[in-house]
Amino acid sequence: DTAVSQTPKYLVTQMGNDKSIKCEQNLGHDTMYWYKQDSKKFLKIMFSYNNKELIINETVPNRFSPKSPDKAHLNLHINSLELGDSAVYFCASSKLLVSSYEQYFGPGTRLTVT
Amino acid sequence: RKEVEQDPGPFNVPEGATVAFNCTYSNSASQSFFWYRQDCRKEPKLLMSVYSSGNEDGRFTAQLNRASQYISLLIRDSKLSDSATYLCVVEYGNKLVFGAGTILRVKS
């Protein structure tokens, strides 16, 4: 039933570790996104993919590497985690790469780096 | 000027009240505008799109003023269930830019 799902929901890890977050959408959408929401609640786009092709890379450190094995999946791998990476990461999808389309968000992954 | 700016609130209102939120944006070329709602510790969800002519969806009315680069959301007859953070969202090319949100608390 779930339209956009993410795993895990919570992730607690130590500085320097490498972790991955997975995202899947069953809406048949062409475009997927990763957003970061920090402690001040700003929701900022990190990446967007359209049909497995990277479209937006919003000046994110190269420790963050998205991977889209197919258009229903967009995973996020983070190397050498830092304290400042603590945030909620949301995956989203939209029908097309056109900003007038509604974006559907996953439930978020709350990452805490200690 | 920030890309999308909102009054963070919180707005504390009694049930039944009318409340209005404002938002300004800096890109005069933006064409698409939205209000999203985010409940505590949940994901954002689309509340409504904002059209040039203004649009209404039940108790919610959205207005756009392109000349002033200003968007508003009016909620009439507030319900307890309206308590949430309201995010003003503006298209900037091929991405959406979210405001920091306005917190609404409706009290009985």
Side-chain angles (χ1 to χ4, degrees), chain B residues 62-75:
Chain B
Q63 299 274 0
L64 169 65
N65 183 323
R66 285 188 188 272
S68 304
Q69 292 176 212
Y70 168 98
I71 304 160
S72 64
L73 177 68
L74 182 79
I75 306 176

Side-chain angles (χ1 to χ4, degrees), chain A residues 10 33 35 37 40-43 45 48 55-56 58 90 97 99-103 105-108 110, chain B residues 2-4 32 34 36 38 41-46 49 87 91-101:
Chain A
Y10 299 95
Y33 311 83
Y35 285 88
Q37 189 168 41
K40 293 184 180 167
K41 304 302 182 188
F42 272 103
L43 191 66
I45 190 163
S48 74
I55 302 298
I56 293 175
E58 196 73 1
F90 287 102
L97 182 64
S99 297
S100 55
Y101 279 91
E102 177 179 358
Q103 292 189 12
F105 284 80
R110 191 169 295 271
Chain B
K2 281 185 186 172
E3 289 177 307
V4 180
S32 299
F34 310 90
Y36 275 69
Q38 186 172 24
R41 300 180 76 88
K42 297 282 191 182
E43 71 273 22
K45 291 184 180 176
L46 179 68
S49 302
L87 304 169
E91 161 261 330
Y92 276 71
N94 60 1
K95 67 178 183 182
L96 296 181
V97 176
F98 287 71

Side-chain angles (χ1 to χ4, degrees), chain B residues 19 32 39 61 65 80 88 103:
Chain B
V19 61
S32 299
D39 292 333
T61 301
N65 183 323
L80 293 175
C88 176
I103 297 171

Side-chain angles (χ1 to χ4, degrees), chain A residues 80-94:
Chain A
S80 305
L81 277 154
E82 299 177 358
L83 291 177
D85 297 332
S86 295
V88 181
Y89 292 83
F90 287 102
C91 177
S93 73
S94 63

